[in-house]
């Protein structure tokens, strides 16, 4: 089975390539990248005027299986990822049962294999049951296929447990991903503390809740001389802390999500539960700082924090509504529209943040399309505007604040291990 | 200009003209309360249901009597002993009440935005009787009515609101209403009970109670929830009273004829001393009476299509 991608603009930042070229895929592997390739027996994709890039790698998502299949399954989640041009996802361990043991990792990998859409890399729990008390069996998790550890959503409150997690995980070369939230400072809040929370009479969450723990993780990483990755950075202060730490040589990396560079807490007006997420949407100066952090390299990666929820979990009082939004199918268009089209970063830089860098942090050998690599490729269009329609999402859930947004960056093809999963903007099967 | 309004959710989105219209209607309704035969037919044949997720005696009774004085059928549902505790969603509960031919649905909840959530799902007019820390529009309207009744106009007034502004829907609705009518609002209280960016709502934050009260036309105390102390927001009731309680000396800083107001129920001796509660400047009891009149006015107005 051969596929020939003709005359696209091939952007492969890992190999310093940005040129019009053809790509020949043979048996799931990239055989050749060069001009004027011919192959009689190949399925030809005309990519003229389109961008051909390494498939996106989303290092932070929730596939909800096992345990919450009414929100999303590995099958629907990976379809949704493919529709977003994502060829590899790393899924968080807040499943039920929690992904804190080899058996659950094995189950996730088996379900992913069965679904056959995109590569799935489970993230194991830092603590057993995400309880923040005892370390999970990280060695076993790694052996079973986990690529990182995190207590995402239930941040480790004990500083000493986090210290031990960093030291122990480093021994197995497992990245530690920290969702930074000092719960006593959250103080039962559910949106950003600012003029909007006062205006809406909703309990606010101070930025300090995030920043205090970002500081803690940086200091612990420095103390233990181990790496740490900060999840979904949302505040100006967090960006500054990471920037400073990197300058000091601390082994810290971080990610943000499209909602932190496209929306502010004004989106909550009218008690819009689709604008409820954790960390909460902040204010314009935070958005500006996040964009600056992306542009100057402080922020290494853009992830989705894809967090599907059933409509009933959002169609309720704001305070009771579940946190999070679906993000797979809006990652690329929001990044293209709000960062590339606005001139904040180049398209090459955007691909680095969505593919090369997260692969590097997770050490999964993706984000590259040179001969010999597994053929994980996205082909997308940056020239034609289209309107986001949440009802057309293939994700099981539709909880997104972006319905009706006019964007650029429509995914046309997603190829995973040489298999065409998305064809002409639709699921191919 | 013809305006139609189905619901009363807050003062945030009410115009000055609508506020004045409601207050003028309340003046007429108040006359009914003074009659020997306290009954009108303004809401005859209408059904008014109050759905209260929070404990309340005065607001609930005020609405109930207001409805009954105008000839409506009135019923109450409270959080205990209903499907609310059986896990029914607030939208389903509201739709169920609506399906029983309810004309006006009054809602009190600890969740900000809940009345806004149910309003589009029901045919009935929804009246917000207090939602979380967001708004308490009928309270603010009765406060405005009381001020206007006593002083004719509030334009240019200095109104001091003292206490736990952060958690107060009464303070927020009053700030919206008063500023729309041209009054200036000054707030004071423990810094831990001041909301972030209160200035963005149009109020002025004062460093001390004395500063807020100085030369004020109205001094409004807010109810102190005693659990705030347990959450570590202020050290003791004793210290609260010493620095933020309103007593005779404090009230003397205001204008001689300043009105003393409180939304009730008062923690006697905490946020207000007995001598100011029972003093000549206190209009707390009249606020309660006016509360019935204003709720009659609001229900009648909405039943007529919310047109001015």
């Amino acid at each position: 089975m051969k596929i020939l991608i003709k005359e696209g603009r091939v952007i492969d930042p890992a190999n310093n390539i940005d040129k019009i070229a053809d790509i020949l895929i043979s048996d799931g592997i990239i055989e050749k990248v060069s001009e004027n390739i011919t192959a009689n027996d190949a399925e030809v994709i005309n990519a003229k005027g389109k961008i051909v890039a390494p498939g996106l790698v989303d290092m932070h998502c929730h596939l909800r299986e096992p345990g919450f299949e009414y929100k999303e399954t590995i099958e629907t989640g990976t379809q949704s990822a493919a529709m977003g041009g994502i060829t590899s996802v790393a899924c968080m361990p807040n499943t039920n049962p929690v992904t804190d043991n080899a058996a659950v990792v094995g189950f996730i990998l088996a379900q992913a294999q069965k679904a056959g859409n995109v590569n799935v890399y489970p993230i194991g729990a830092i603590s057993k049951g995400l309880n923040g008390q005892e370390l999970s069996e990280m060695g076993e998790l790694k052996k079973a296929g986990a690529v990182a550890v995190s207590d995402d959503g239930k941040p480790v409150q004990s500083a000493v447990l986090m210290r031990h997690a960093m030291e122990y995980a480093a021994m197995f070369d497992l990245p530690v991903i920290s969702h930074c939230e000092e719960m006593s400072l959250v103080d039962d809040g559910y949106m950003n503390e600012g003029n909007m929370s006062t205006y809406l009479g909703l309990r606010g969450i101070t930025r300090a809740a995030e920043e205090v723990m970002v500081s803690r993780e940086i200091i612990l990483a420095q103390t233990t001389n181990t790496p740490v990755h900060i999840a979904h950075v949302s505040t100006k202060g967090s960006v500054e802390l990471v920037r400073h730490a990197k300058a000091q040589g601390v082994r810290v990396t971080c990610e943000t999500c499209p909602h932190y560079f496209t929306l502010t807490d004004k989106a909550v007006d009218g008690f819009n539960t689709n604008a409820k997420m954790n960390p909460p949407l902040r204010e314009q100066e935070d958005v500006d700082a996040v964009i600056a952090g992306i542009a100057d390299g402080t922020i290494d990666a853009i992830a989705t924090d894809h967090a599907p929820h059933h409509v009933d979990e959002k169609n309720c009082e704001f305070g009771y509504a579940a946190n999070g939004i679906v993000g797979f199918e809006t990652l690329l268009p929001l990044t293209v529209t709000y960062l590339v089209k606005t001139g904040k970063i180049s398209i090459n830089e955007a691909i680095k943040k969505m593919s090369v860098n997260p692969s590097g942090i997770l050490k999964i050998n993706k984000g590259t399309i040179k001969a010999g690599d597994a053929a994980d490729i996205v082909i997308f269009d940056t020239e034609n505007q289209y309107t986001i329609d949440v009802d057309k999402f293939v994700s099981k859930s539709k909880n997104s604040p972006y319905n009706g947004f006019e964007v650029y960056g429509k995914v046309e093809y997603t190829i995973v291990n040489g298999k065409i999963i998305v064809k002409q903007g639709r699921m191919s099967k | 200009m013809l305006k139609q309004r189905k619901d009363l959710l807050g003062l945030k989105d009410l115009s000055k003209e609508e506020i004045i219209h409601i207050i003028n209607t309340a003046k007429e309704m108040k006359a009914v309360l003074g009659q020997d035969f306290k009954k009108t037919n303004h809401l005859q044949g209408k059904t008014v249901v109050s759905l209260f997720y929070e404990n309340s005696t005065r607001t609930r009774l005020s609405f109930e009597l207001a409805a009954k004085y105008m000839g409506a059928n009135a019923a109450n549902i409270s959080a205990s002993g209903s499907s609310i505790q059986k896990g029914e969603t607030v939208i389903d509960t509201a739709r169920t009440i609506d399906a029983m031919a309810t004309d006006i649905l009054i809602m009190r909840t600890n969740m900000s935005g809940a009345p806004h959530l149910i309003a589009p799902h029901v045919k009935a007019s929804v009246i917000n009787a207090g939602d979380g820390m967001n708004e308490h529009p009928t309270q603010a309207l009765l406060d405005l009515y009381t001020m206007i009744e006593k002083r004719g106009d509030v334009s240019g007034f200095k109104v001091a609101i003292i206490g736990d502004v952060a958690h107060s829907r009464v303070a927020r609705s009053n700030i919206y209403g008063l500023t729309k009518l041209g009054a200036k609002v000054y707030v004071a209280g423990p810094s831990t009970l001041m909301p972030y960016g209160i200035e963005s709502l149009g109020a002025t934050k004062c460093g001390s109670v004395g500063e807020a009260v100085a030369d004020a036309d109205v001094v409004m105390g807010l109810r102190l929830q005693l659990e705030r102390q347990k959450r570590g927001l202020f050290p003791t009731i004793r210290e609260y009273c010493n620095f933020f309680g309103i007593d005779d000396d404090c009230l003397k800083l205001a204008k001689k004829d300043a009105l003393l107001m409180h939304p009730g129920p008062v923690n006697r001796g905490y946020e207000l001393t007995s001598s100011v509660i029972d003093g000549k400047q206190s209009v707390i009891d009249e606020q309660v009476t006016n509360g019935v009149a204003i709720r009659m006015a609001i229900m009648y107005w909405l039943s007529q299509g919310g047109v001015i």
Side-chain angles (χ1 to χ4, degrees), chain A residues 137-393:
Chain A
E137 296 171 334
M138 293 183 190
E140 299 286 322
L141 285 167
K142 165 106 184 188
K143 216 169 118 189
V147 293
V149 286
S150 179
D151 274 7
D152 184 55
K154 274 190 88 181
V156 178
Q157 297 301 297
S158 159
V160 69
L161 186 76
M162 186 48 105
R163 178 210 169 147
H164 292 148
M166 287 182 185
E167 288 172 333
Y168 194 82
M171 177 173 65
F172 291 103
D173 205 20
L174 267 177
V176 174
I177 301 172
S178 176
H179 164 130
C180 291
E181 200 180 10
E182 165 56 49
M183 294 311 291
S184 69
L185 283 169
V186 172
D187 199 20
D188 300 329
Y190 29 67
M191 73 171 289
N192 179 58
E193 181 179 273
N195 291 346
M196 276 311 286
S197 62
T198 297
Y199 176 72
L200 292 169
L202 292 170
R203 290 186 72 95
I205 305 172
T206 170
R207 291 170 178 78
E210 175 174 322
E211 292 159 5
V212 162
M213 198 172 280
V214 171
S215 312
R216 184 192 82 174
E217 310 307 42
I218 287 169
I219 291 164
L220 288 175
Q222 192 167 31
T223 302
T224 56
N225 190 27
T226 61
V228 69
H229 178 79
I230 310 293
H232 43 50
V233 162
S234 76
T235 75
K236 183 182 175 192
S238 296
V239 175
E240 285 168 357
L241 285 163
V242 173
R243 185 179 289 128
H244 178 78
K246 284 186 166 185
Q248 306 301 304
V250 180
R251 295 161 70 187
V252 58
T253 53
C254 71
E255 79 203 15
T256 192
C257 310
H259 30 287
Y260 302 119
F261 59 77
T262 57
L263 295 174
T264 67
D265 59 357
K266 289 203 165 68
V268 179
D269 198 10
F271 304 98
N272 178 10
T273 55
N274 277 332
K276 185 180 177 186
M277 49 203 79
N278 188 16
L281 294 173
R282 307 288 185 181
E283 292 178 279
Q284 192 59 46
E285 67 168 343
D286 300 291
V287 168
D288 294 342
V290 165
I291 293 173
I294 292 169
D296 73 7
T298 302
I299 296 174
D300 302 271
I302 301 170
T304 64
D305 198 1
H306 178 80
H309 289 294
H310 192 271
V311 62
D312 291 344
E313 294 167 310
K314 287 289 193 180
N315 196 15
C316 62
E317 296 92 324
F318 192 89
Y320 292 147
N323 275 310
I325 62 171
V326 291
F328 286 148
E329 292 166 72
T330 48
L331 167 69
L332 181 62
L334 292 170
T335 301
V336 166
T337 308
Y338 286 83
L339 297 179
V340 179
K341 286 280 177 186
T342 54
K344 307 289 183 192
I345 59 172
S346 66
I347 186 70
N348 305 58
E349 202 53 42
I351 289 162
K352 267 193 209 169
K353 308 274 185 195
M354 290 186 287
S355 183
V356 183
N357 295 353
S359 303
I361 294 164
L362 296 175
K363 300 166 185 155
I364 57 172
N365 193 29
K366 294 286 177 187
T368 155
I369 43 175
K370 65 176 188 311
D373 290 336
D376 289 355
I377 290 173
V378 58
I379 303 174
F380 59 100
D381 169 44
T382 59
E383 298 309 313
N384 298 302
Q385 206 177 38
Y386 75 101
T387 307
I388 294 173
D389 179 356
V390 298
D391 292 327
K392 293 203 173 126
F393 286 175

Side-chain angles (χ1 to χ4, degrees), chain B residues 99-303:
Chain B
M100 295 183 197
T102 298
D103 298 288
I104 297 175
L105 176 54
I106 297 150
M107 185 184 196
R108 156 77 58 101
T109 161
N110 62 338
M111 301 306 289
S112 301
H116 310 66
L117 176 71
I118 65 162
H121 294 276
V122 296
K123 289 190 297 294
S125 288
V126 175
I127 298 176
N128 181 359
D131 67 319
M133 307 189 300
N134 181 37
E135 284 230 49
H136 193 348
T138 63
Q139 177 68 43
L141 285 166
L142 77 88
D143 292 338
L144 291 168
Y145 172 31
T146 305
M147 291 178 217
I148 288 172
E149 184 183 50
K150 294 284 169 192
R151 295 289 181 266
D153 186 12
V154 297
S155 178
F157 261 32
K158 176 177 179 179
V159 178
I161 301 180
I162 310 300
D164 180 4
V165 178
H167 300 91
S168 178
R169 54 197 176 209
V170 174
R172 281 178 176 78
S173 285
N174 264 294
I175 290 169
Y176 299 130
L178 284 162
T179 51
K180 281 179 186 184
L181 297 189
K184 293 191 179 72
V185 182
Y186 292 76
V187 296
S191 48
T192 45
L193 296 175
M194 281 295 128
Y196 184 102
I198 185 71
E199 301 86 351
S200 67
L201 302 188
T204 304
K205 190 160 78 177
C206 299
S208 70
V209 173
E211 192 186 326
V213 171
D215 289 318
D217 296 283
V218 176
V219 177
M220 188 184 291
L222 296 173
R223 181 175 166 80
L224 179 67
Q225 302 284 351
L226 302 181
E227 61 263 27
R228 308 289 178 223
Q229 187 266 330
K230 296 272 183 280
R231 274 187 91 113
L233 289 160
F234 61 92
T236 56
I237 300 287
R238 178 174 171 273
E239 175 147 313
Y240 186 92
C241 296
N242 285 340
F243 287 87
F244 309 102
I246 299 166
D247 57 13
D248 290 298
D249 288 340
C250 174
L251 198 53
K252 274 191 194 125
L253 300 170
K255 284 195 179 139
K256 253 204 176 100
D257 60 348
L259 304 175
L260 177 80
M261 304 179 78
H262 190 288
V266 189
N267 294 301
R268 205 169 259 270
Y270 293 179
E271 63 263 20
L272 304 180
T273 60
S274 280
S275 59
V276 301
I277 296 169
D278 303 325
K280 273 194 295 200
Q281 287 166 266
S282 169
V283 294
I284 295 172
D285 291 341
E286 281 151 289
Q287 284 176 269
V288 176
T289 307
N290 289 344
V292 179
I294 208 87
R295 291 177 178 113
M296 290 170 76
I298 291 163
M299 285 191 278
Y300 178 60
W301 178 57
L302 293 177
S303 75

